[in-house]
Amino acid sequence: MGATKKEDSENILTELGRKQAELTGQRLAQMCNGSEGLFASSKIRVLRVSDMTRAKETADIIAKYLPEVKRGDPDPLLNEGLPAQVLPLRHEMGINMVQEVDDCHDRIEEAFQKYMYRANLAEDIARLVRNDNLHDAEEESIKNNKLKPKNDQHEFEVIVCHGNLIRYFFCRALQLPPEAWLRMSTFNCSLTYLMIKPTGDVTCRMLGDIGHLGPEHSTFSMKHGFAWS
């Protein structure tokens, strides 16, 4: 999600935030379309977004570069909030933060359970059989883990949401202590790439990547550069 105007009651995107979203959409399109001789194209199944104004604006801009990708309905479960307590404790955290975590945690955990899941191989096989893409022998081989479907292809979902949720999802998906979520930073309109295999194995390919933005468009919490505290 791009930079926002803090003073705006709806937290709409700034001009910089809109530019960040444009660059992110272009980068996702490059990843989706592939590069001849270097890497194959990828299938993005759906573009999801939280129900907050700035996230929906960001998703609208990104969607221009992914015209074939289905749009999911805005989901309040993906709205920003404090997902978990923080360890070690920080001196600036008071009772208000504790209360906000109590208010937000169950919702954000529900979002994690809803969107971070392994593929159902049995359902994929049934779909391929219905489409006459597999013969009986091939189906049996796949069930025995001896063969991959002929048209086997990774499917991606793009989720446009917020830094606190992304950091919490990262910790939960990799089975790290969720209380560590605030020890890392994800820049505005950065890309985090989690791969979830049908076996349940999870790999993080990118966390907060901003290579597509350049120094002039790289911000975190309204701050440019990399030397802020």
Side-chain angles (χ1 to χ4, degrees):
M1 190 192 65
T4 62
K5 293 181 179 177
K6 262 190 172 179
E7 68 276 10
D8 190 293
S9 61
E10 291 188 322
N11 281 332
I12 64 172
L13 292 181
T14 63
E15 282 302 312
L16 173 58
R18 298 185 70 83
K19 181 61 177 178
Q20 290 169 333
E22 295 276 355
L23 293 170
T24 302
Q26 293 169 19
R27 176 59 176 150
L28 287 170
Q30 291 171 347
M31 296 170 68
C32 180
N33 295 332
S35 177
E36 187 173 354
L38 293 177
F39 60 93
S41 62
S42 302
K43 179 183 178 183
I44 298 178
R45 193 172 70 85
V46 64
L47 173 63
R48 303 192 185 280
V49 63
S50 89
D51 197 35
M52 300 187 81
T53 298
R54 59 192 189 270
K56 290 187 285 189
E57 289 182 304
T58 302
D60 287 342
I61 294 171
I62 290 173
K64 295 190 306 182
Y65 298 94
L66 304 171
E68 305 299 321
V69 175
K70 174 185 173 183
R71 298 285 300 272
D73 293 330
D75 189 349
L77 291 178
L78 293 168
N79 287 1
E80 183 65 303
L82 297 181
Q85 302 296 345
V86 176
L87 293 177
L89 294 174
R90 297 190 179 190
H91 70 276
E92 69 270 20
M93 295 174 185
I95 190 65
N96 290 339
M97 183 173 181
V98 173
Q99 184 60 54
E100 185 173 347
V101 171
D102 289 343
D103 293 341
C104 295
H105 171 75
D106 288 349
R107 168 181 61 81
I108 295 173
E109 174 63 20
E110 183 179 350
F112 172 79
Q113 297 287 345
K114 181 177 180 180
Y115 292 114
M116 301 290 128
Y117 60 90
R118 69 180 72 181
N120 188 320
L121 187 57
E123 289 182 0
D124 289 343
I125 292 171
R127 172 173 51 82
L128 291 169
V129 171
R130 286 196 302 272
N131 294 335
D132 295 327
N133 289 328
L134 289 177
H135 300 295
D136 291 342
E138 290 176 323
E139 180 183 357
E140 188 63 31
S141 295
I142 292 170
K143 289 179 179 177
N144 293 328
N145 294 319
K146 296 177 181 178
L147 180 69
K148 291 185 177 181
K150 288 181 178 178
N151 61 346
D152 178 50
Q153 185 184 29
H154 294 304
E155 285 190 338
F156 294 82
E157 293 193 8
V158 175
I159 301 177
V160 180
C161 60
H162 309 273
N164 292 353
L165 271 74
I166 293 168
R167 291 179 281 182
Y168 178 78
F169 286 179
F170 168 83
C171 290
R172 288 282 287 109
L174 270 65
Q175 298 180 318
L176 302 173
E179 295 82 6
W181 69 270
L182 200 54
R183 298 190 209 175
M184 63 196 84
S185 297
T186 53
F187 284 65
N188 299 117
C189 270
S190 61
L191 296 175
T192 294
Y193 172 11
L194 293 172
M195 183 176 69
I196 305 174
K197 296 182 178 180
T199 58
D201 295 334
V202 180
T203 302
C204 179
R205 295 266 175 103
M206 294 189 294
L207 175 64
D209 181 74
I210 53 171
H212 57 290
L213 296 179
E216 68 274 23
H217 299 116
S218 299
T219 58
F220 172 77
S221 191
M222 307 293 290
K223 301 180 182 70
H224 277 276
F226 305 95
W228 33 265
S229 59

